[in-house]
């Protein structure tokens, strides 16, 4: 259990350093630069380093540490609760940034800046985690260094099925995210964390269940067993397709591309009670009768 304790301490250290980076950036940068660059970079750095360490525990822990997947899934849930509480509005996920652009919540320049910051944060997180593993503080890290150069692809099923799995995970994740977008963080954070944990448990054996293109790029694109185009189809096109499907199902349209609602009819926001409508119609009929009687009584 000593190796697990070191990893937990590493998680706390990563969150603390990234939180300090956020606070410092908020003081030194303008709100726009902080929101599009520093906040996304810190969030992506935190997410990437945490997920790489957790992925290492998931692969080596069962036979190297004697603990089962229940421990890793519990850590995953707790980590995403911490991420949701500390990210300060960052997404650290390209599909979420593209979704905000399609919903007219973000401009093209801001979206491009977020995507660049996410890529930089993920790349920095991968490099720092590799450096941390090279210190070999635990037996887990020693084993990880031995097998790091021969890592294999996370795609353990047919290519079309893998793309479908990642797309389905992204679909359900974004559907929950859209449903909870106006909810209080007290409810939003644990529900999203539970969703990620469930999807990882269900789809992890097939593709690793990333449904985050930037995280998948930093984590598995360098591994052998699949081509670069295979990775693009599964970990980029799949999640983007799932996000678009969730957006169309929830909204009925894609505001950035077209305004016409394809699924839902536009109804009035305010409903008039039926009794009031009936009284209004009856009053109109009485008024017409009185008007007709008056016109007939007039001499010709």
């Amino acid at each position: 259990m000593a190796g697990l304790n070191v990893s937990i301490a590493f998680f706390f250290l990563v969150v603390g350093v990234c939180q300090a980076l956020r606070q410092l950036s908020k003081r030194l940068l303008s709100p726009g630069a902080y929101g599009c660059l520093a906040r996304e970079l810190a969030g992506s750095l935190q997410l990437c380093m945490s997920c790489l360490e957790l992925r290492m525990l998931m692969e080596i822990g069962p036979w190297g540490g004697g603990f089962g997947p229940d421990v890793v899934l519990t850590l995953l849930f707790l980590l995403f609760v911490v991420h949701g509480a500390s990210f300060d509005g960052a997404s650290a996920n390209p599909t979420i940034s593209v979704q905000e652009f399609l919903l007219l919540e973000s401009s093209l320049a801001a979206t491009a800046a977020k995507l660049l910051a996410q890529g930089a944060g993920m790349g920095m997180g991968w490099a720092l985690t590799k450096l941390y593993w090279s210190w070999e503080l635990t037996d887990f890290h020693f084993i990880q260094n031995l097998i790091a150069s021969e890592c294999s692809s996370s795609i353990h099923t047919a290519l079309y099925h893998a793309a479908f799995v990642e797309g389905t995970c992204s679909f359900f994740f974004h559907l929950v995210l859209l449903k909870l977008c106006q909810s209080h963080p007290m409810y939003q954070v644990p529900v999203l964390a539970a969703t990620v944990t469930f999807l990882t448990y269900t789809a992890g054996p097939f593709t690793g269940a990333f449904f985050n293109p930037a995280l998948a790029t930093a984590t598995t694109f360098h591994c052998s067993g699949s081509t670069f185009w295979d990775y693009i189809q599964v970990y980029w096109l799949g999640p983007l397709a799932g996000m678009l499907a969730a957006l169309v199902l929830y909204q009925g349209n894609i505001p950035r591309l077209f305004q016409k609602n394809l699924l839902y009819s536009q109804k009035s926001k305010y409903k008039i009670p039926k009794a009031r409508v009936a009284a209004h119609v009856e009053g109109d009929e009485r008024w017409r009768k009185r008007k007709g009687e008056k016109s007939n009584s007039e001499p010709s």
Side-chain angles (χ1 to χ4, degrees), residues 6-42:
V6 171
S7 293
I8 292 175
F10 173 75
F11 294 142
F12 278 109
L13 178 63
V14 169
V15 173
V17 170
C18 291
Q19 187 65 14
L21 178 60
R22 276 186 284 267
Q23 294 299 326
L24 182 63
S25 301
K26 191 179 292 186
R27 292 182 180 181
L28 298 179
L29 301 176
S30 65
Y34 169 73
C36 295
L37 295 173
R39 185 174 64 182
E40 289 292 339
L41 188 144

Side-chain angles (χ1 to χ4, degrees), residues 57-72:
L57 291 177
M58 188 177 297
E59 292 179 348
I60 301 176
W63 56 271
F67 54 84
D70 55 331
V71 175
V72 179

Side-chain angles (χ1 to χ4, degrees), residues 208-249:
F210 292 101
F211 49 96
N212 182 330
L215 180 61
T217 301
T219 303
T220 194
F221 269 41
H222 62 281
C223 295
S224 60
S226 299
T227 66
F228 179 77
W229 177 238
D230 291 341
Y231 286 132
I232 290 294
Q233 292 181 76
V234 174
Y235 295 117
W236 277 88
L237 299 184
L240 285 171
M243 179 271 294
L244 289 173
L247 185 58
V248 171
L249 179 63

